[in-house]
Every structure is written in structure tokens, then in C-alpha cells.
Amino acid sequence: MSDIELVSATKSFGGWLKRYKHRSTVLNCDMIFAIYLPPAAEEHPVPLLWWLSGLTCTDENFMQKAGAQRTAAELGLAIVCPDTSPRGSDLPGEHDSYDFGSGAGFYVNATQAPWNQHYRMYDYVTSELPALVSAHFPLNGKQAISGHSMGGHGALICALKNPGRYTSVSAFAPICNPGQCPWGEKALGGYLGDNRELWHEWDSCELIKAQGSDLPLLVDQGDADNFYVDGQLRPEALAAACEEASVPCTLRLQPGYDHSYFFIASFIDEHLRYHAEKLQ
């Protein structure tokens, strides 16, 4: 494993939660990712769930707060958590706000300078990191994808842009229509420029309108989520696009739940079992 460096290893429910550091060619910086390997991985290759996290998060948030390891161990499911942006590039203005730059890569490939030097998170999570983990860990090639908020947006676009790659996709409070909300307008404008037509490639609603999807969508959204109330997430636009394109979409509005990891922890087991069934 000369091209990845072990940062930490922690025993959890009979399996191992490990963090690794590596040099990313795509992002032109050093990156850290986390992987949970269930006990079954010591006996045979296992399927994989990708988890993409939201604004301000790193690889650690989900692994520490979601409580996913117990059920992942039971199901024999590995989980990989990438970081949410390049690190250490220190571009001008990169750390000035929580919703653009550091911790806010939005899982797109930036085309605008200086962001295009590093901010190619889509290629990182769909190409470079999958190749790395498949080379180093006992994975059987079957994979699913999920995420939260900005990471829910990432999970949806990765699945929609790569038909047949993932057995299933789900999301918690995803940014469903980034071309029509303040978070998305700031990020897509900054990374991709002012031509809104180019944004459609990175907007789940626009992708569904353009190409449909053979993969059903599972989305949980808390109805007490301030970002839902404020119009940042727009799950109703996703549901409408799916209905128009005849794409199966299960949108569950969960009464009283907010945007936090308490929400994720409350429903993560259902999502893990959903993906495990599809991964069989």
C-alpha cells in the first residue's frame, strides 16, 4: 500500500474504521478518506456504499455521528467517506465562506480559474478514489451511493450521470435543484461561470428532465429543516421532475426532523438495508 498511508484504525462492531491519506492527482493535493470494513471483509470481498457529506464536513462527520457501523457490520457492507473538497491549496478567498471553497466542493468539476486547478471533486469521487479503494480493499465491485445535503446532491448527480454503475441511490435532505437556490447559484456560478446552461449538467432536476433514469430515487427530508423551509433544498422540484419523466421517486417528508445528524442517525439503518437489498 505504498500509495496510501494509514492515518488511524479503530475497531468498531467487529470491523475496522480506518482513515487513509494519499496524494490526489485529480485534485493536485493530499487527501484523506475514511473506510469502514465490516467483519465479513476479513473472509471475502464485500459490497460498498459511498457516502458523500455536506457543507463544512470532512470524512469524519458521518463515521462519528451517523451510527452506521452496527448495521453495516451486520449487513457485511463497507462504507467509504471521501472529504468534501480539496485541502491545502489555499487559493485566494477559498476559506472566506462556509458555502464555497474549502469544505464546499459541490462534487462538480470546476472550469473557472483558479478553482479548476484543484476543485474537480466529481472526477475524484467517480474515478480516482474508486480506483484506489478497489485496488487496496476487499470489495466485490458492487456499489451504491448516498449522501446528505450537498452530498445528497452529489450522490444524485453521480448516479444520474453514470447509469448502471450503482445498484441504488438515496439521499438525506439533498440540494435537489442547485441551479435554482442560493447555495447552488453561488457554487455553480463560482466553479463553472455565468452560463446557466452549463449548470444543467450538475443539477439533478435538469438531468432527470434531459435523460430520465432507470434507477429509483429514495429521498428523506425533515419538514422542520430550516434549509428546506428557506428554499435551499427544493425536493418538490425533484419530485415534479421525476413525475414528468416517469422516474420512480420515493420522497418521504419526516415530521419534526431538522437538517442535523440526529435526522440522519434516525433513518440511516433503513437506508443501509435498502442499499444492501439492492446490492445482493
Side-chain angles (χ1 to χ4, degrees), residues 4 40 54 86 94 153 223 233 249:
I4 62 174
E94 185 177 18
H153 144 77
D223 73 358
L233 306 177
C249 178

Side-chain angles (χ1 to χ4, degrees), residues 176-226:
C176 297
N177 194 191
Q180 300 295 327
C181 75
W183 276 343
E185 290 174 332
K186 179 176 180 178
L188 299 182
Y191 294 133
L192 305 174
D194 295 333
N195 185 348
R196 288 177 173 257
E197 292 295 317
L198 300 179
W199 300 5
H200 290 181
E201 185 180 350
W202 309 101
D203 186 310
S204 297
C205 292
E206 298 297 338
L207 287 170
I208 289 170
K209 291 175 186 177
Q211 66 186 44
S213 174
D214 293 330
L215 204 60
L217 310 184
L218 172 61
V219 176
D220 272 321
Q221 173 64 63
D223 73 358
D225 183 332
N226 287 339

Side-chain angles (χ1 to χ4, degrees), residues 10 29 35 59 62 90 106 115-116 141 191 202 232 240 246 262:
T10 305
C29 65
I35 183 168
D59 66 285
F62 177 82
D90 292 327
F106 265 81
W115 311 103
N116 57 353
Y191 294 133
W202 309 101
Q232 293 278 24
S246 298
F262 295 108

Side-chain angles (χ1 to χ4, degrees), residues 129-146:
L129 190 56
L132 190 71
V133 299
S134 66
H136 288 297
F137 301 103
L139 305 172
N140 68 11
K142 295 180 179 180
Q143 54 187 335
I145 191 165
S146 186

Side-chain angles (χ1 to χ4, degrees), residues 82-149:
D83 204 342
T84 55
S85 77
R87 301 290 174 174
S89 51
D90 292 327
L91 299 172
E94 185 177 18
H95 312 303
D96 290 354
S97 60
Y98 79 96
D99 55 356
F100 185 82
S102 182
F106 265 81
Y107 306 100
V108 304
N109 286 338
T111 59
Q112 300 298 297
W115 311 103
N116 57 353
Q117 301 173 36
H118 300 280
Y119 278 71
R120 301 185 61 82
M121 286 298 295
Y122 174 78
D123 281 353
Y124 179 69
V125 301
T126 62
S127 180
E128 184 178 37
L129 190 56
L132 190 71
V133 299
S134 66
H136 288 297
F137 301 103
L139 305 172
N140 68 11
K142 295 180 179 180
Q143 54 187 335
I145 191 165
S146 186
H148 171 231
S149 194

Side-chain angles (χ1 to χ4, degrees), residues 39-63:
E42 297 182 6
E43 301 175 2
H44 56 76
V46 297
L48 171 64
L49 175 69
W50 291 93
W51 176 269
L52 304 185
S53 292
L55 291 168
T56 76
C57 291
T58 68
D59 66 285
E60 294 185 283
N61 295 74
F62 177 82
M63 292 299 194

